[in-house]
Amino acid sequence: MKSISLMSALASIASLSAATPTPTEQEQPHKRADLPAVTVSGNAFWKGKERFYIRGIDYQPGGSSGMTDPLADLDMCKRDVAEFKKLGVNTIRVYMVDNSKKHDDCMKLLADAGIYVVIDANTPLYSLNRYDPHQSYNDKYLQSVFATIDAFAKYDNTLAFFSGNEVINDVVNSTLAAKYVKATTRDMRQYIGNRGYRKIPVGYSAADVSQNRMQLASYMNCGTDDERSDFFAFNDYSWCSSNFVDSGWDQKVKMFTGYGIPIFLSEYGCITHTRDFAEIGALMSDKMTSVYSGGLMYEYAVEENGYGIAKLGPGSKVEEKPEFANFAKAMSKYPVPTGDGGFTSTTKAAACPTKDSNWLVDSTLLPAIPDGAKKFMKDGAGTGPGLNGEGSQQAQGTSTGDAEPGSGSPTNTASPSSSSESQKKSGSTRGIGSVDKAPFVVTGLVMFFTLTGTLLL
């Protein structure tokens, strides 16, 4: 009788457990045991407890106007990942992705090759207009940006997102767009937090313009924590078969010393003279590692601009240019440095720049997120418009005022939907998300009844 009662009790408990509704959860990251998510601490990136340096290449087959997502084309991905492995890169930057398509297969191929991806969240149709930033900063634009985050947040080898690329240039009036770039960065960081994703770094890729270089860098790292970027990157072509001093890189290191957040080169690789890529040696040396975290060479695919090192197609064919071998040789010659590179363990905000003849931003206040975009923070962005949408630059639903500093902080206290394995390796102290406790309850009760039954026999 005791055994019958025990079995009946267990059956009741099991049926209760089976009837417990399973909550809808966000799709979990695709895990790879030896490729943990990269995190930010101090002024450096980290892969677990090891300093992570970006040793990569810019990837935009078809060029800036090609409207091509290379991560959605598996054949293209297979062809090019094989070439990336020859080069020895650990990161690629992708300038344009289709947020309406799946990327699982290509992202897995990249992860299996040990390669991380930096994603530009904008496309030509969904981006800020530097000369009409207020109109182009609207809820339709942000829906596309957030949909891109949704498409790539689940992959542990998504290293970072760019909120913009060279929106501010050497035309003085373009500096007025800076507060909209900064607002977009704030919104992306808040969206990542509110949607429960792991803390994927968000920053800006700047043009290297001498008259506003430091104002822009300071601006992207000033203000309240919600307004500051996770990193700052810029495109630098000043090393032209020269050296650390003649290129002016020594002075830039001095300028950025004590900046407080990670810095890396989002593009480099002058083509004025023979490209031997000796600048990699400087990037990996103690002359720079205390301030810089590596860089991305521009670029992989041969286009009309003459920077590419591989001529692609047709089909699976790849013609490696002489610069391909030069880059691979330099990557091998200048390996990742050991130790922490002299990084700064603490982060700090910069002082906001003041208005002058080269910098026209006259307030530290940022535009408030458009009212129509607020719902995305709770409900998600939904299906992205992809690369064939109608565009957003002239859409309605713009910002109607300034934001209160601090209002862009994430309001969701739920744990991020990231793999526990990645969190263990990265040293993250964030929770592992909600866990269905029913199996543990059942196991405990089974042990209790078993013990009780044994004692009663």
Side-chain angles (χ1 to χ4, degrees):
M1 291 296 293
K2 282 182 261 184
S3 61
I4 294 174
S5 299
L6 178 61
M7 294 302 294
S8 299
L10 287 175
S12 299
I13 295 167
S15 64
L16 179 62
S17 172
T20 303
T22 302
T24 301
E25 297 181 353
Q26 294 169 331
E27 186 172 357
Q28 295 298 305
H30 290 245
K31 304 177 183 68
R32 184 178 186 268
D34 57 347
L35 196 68
V38 171
T39 59
V40 170
S41 180
N43 73 333
F45 295 102
W46 299 87
K47 186 171 70 171
K49 295 182 179 180
E50 296 181 359
R51 176 86 183 267
F52 180 81
Y53 296 92
I54 294 172
R55 295 163 56 85
I57 195 165
D58 295 312
Y59 183 42
Q60 56 170 352
S64 58
S65 60
M67 299 298 283
T68 298
D69 176 0
L71 304 183
D73 185 324
L74 185 55
D75 290 335
M76 182 184 298
C77 185
K78 288 179 178 178
R79 177 195 67 194
D80 296 335
V81 168
E83 298 298 310
F84 298 153
K85 291 165 72 173
K86 293 180 185 179
L87 292 171
V89 299
N90 67 7
T91 307
I92 61 170
R93 174 188 183 177
V94 182
Y95 290 79
M96 193 184 315
V97 293
D98 188 328
N99 54 25
S100 69
K101 293 185 177 181
K102 297 290 186 180
H103 302 87
D104 293 358
D105 292 336
C106 188
M107 290 298 287
K108 184 179 185 303
L109 282 175
L110 288 162
D112 289 343
I115 296 173
Y116 292 87
V117 184
V118 180
I119 300 289
D120 282 72
N122 293 268
T123 70
L125 293 176
Y126 295 86
S127 57
L128 292 175
N129 181 340
R130 64 170 62 91
Y131 300 123
D132 193 5
H134 176 77
Q135 182 63 52
S136 55
Y137 176 69
N138 54 59
D139 54 15
K140 195 170 185 178
Y141 163 65
L142 289 175
Q143 190 272 336
S144 178
V145 169
F146 295 161
T148 297
I149 292 174
D150 289 339
F152 287 91
K154 61 185 176 180
Y155 306 115
D156 282 347
N157 59 325
T158 296
L159 193 159
F161 291 107
F162 281 131
S163 58
N165 178 61
E166 296 193 346
V167 180
I168 296 91
N169 58 20
D170 57 357
V171 177
V172 175
N173 282 346
S174 72
T175 62
L176 293 171
K179 64 180 181 179
Y180 294 93
V181 174
K182 188 170 179 175
T184 301
T185 306
R186 173 203 63 198
D187 299 341
M188 292 173 67
R189 295 175 73 239
Q190 183 181 21
Y191 185 80
I192 288 169
N194 278 18
R195 298 304 297 157
Y197 297 134
R198 66 177 172 87
K199 193 173 181 180
I200 306 169
V202 181
Y204 175 65
S205 172
D208 185 30
V209 179
S210 60
Q211 59 261 38
N212 62 40
R213 178 191 302 124
M214 294 313 299
Q215 289 100 320
L216 178 56
S218 297
Y219 184 71
M220 296 304 291
N221 187 31
C222 76
T224 54
D225 284 348
D226 62 304
E227 296 173 337
R228 298 168 58 207
S229 296
D230 293 311
F231 63 85
F232 183 74
F234 62 100
N235 305 332
D236 190 339
Y237 293 91
S238 58
W239 185 302
C240 298
S241 291
S242 51
N243 56 56
F244 183 62
V245 174
D246 292 344
S247 64
W249 283 23
D250 61 329
Q251 297 304 308
K252 290 172 184 175
V253 169
K254 291 179 181 178
M255 290 177 189
F256 283 110
T257 295
Y259 179 58
I261 57 175
I263 297 170
F264 65 92
L265 299 183
S266 39
E267 296 177 6
Y268 72 85
C270 175
I271 59 172
T272 302
H273 304 290
T274 301
R275 303 175 89 186
D276 59 9
F277 303 106
E279 57 263 58
I280 298 174
L283 284 169
M284 296 296 108
S285 75
D286 58 9
K287 296 176 181 178
M288 300 188 71
T289 55
S290 62
V291 178
Y292 285 58
S293 289
L296 296 147
M297 191 278 287
Y298 188 86
E299 64 178 322
Y300 170 67
V302 171
E303 306 295 342
E304 292 183 4
N305 59 27
Y307 283 86
I309 62 173
K311 186 175 181 180
L312 307 181
S316 61
K317 183 179 178 182
V318 176
E319 179 187 341
E320 298 171 0
K321 309 301 287 184
E323 293 84 355
F324 186 101
N326 291 350
F327 184 61
K329 182 178 179 180
M331 290 288 285
S332 177
K333 182 178 179 180
Y334 305 112
V336 175
T338 58
D340 63 19
F343 88 108
T344 301
S345 60
T346 57
T347 181
K348 65 178 182 178
C352 290
T354 57
K355 180 180 178 181
D356 61 26
S357 59
N358 292 315
W359 184 258
L360 303 185
V361 180
D362 59 1
S363 172
T364 59
L365 295 176
L366 300 180
I369 186 172
D371 289 339
K374 293 178 180 178
K375 62 180 180 290
F376 303 138
M377 295 292 176
K378 179 181 178 181
D379 300 334
T383 303
L387 298 179
N388 298 311
E390 60 185 11
S392 65
Q393 290 195 352
Q394 296 301 316
Q396 301 303 305
T398 59
S399 177
T400 57
D402 292 327
E404 189 73 22
S407 61
S409 299
T411 56
N412 179 19
T413 57
S415 299
S417 57
S418 179
S419 68
S420 59
E421 187 66 25
S422 290
Q423 290 167 336
K424 289 176 185 176
K425 291 184 179 181
S426 65
S428 173
T429 57
R430 288 178 170 234
I432 61 174
S434 60
V435 178
D436 185 1
K437 299 177 182 63
F440 299 102
V441 173
V442 172
T443 302
L445 288 171
V446 169
M447 293 175 65
F448 170 77
F449 280 124
T450 301
L451 177 60
T452 301
T454 301
L455 293 173
L456 291 174
L457 286 174

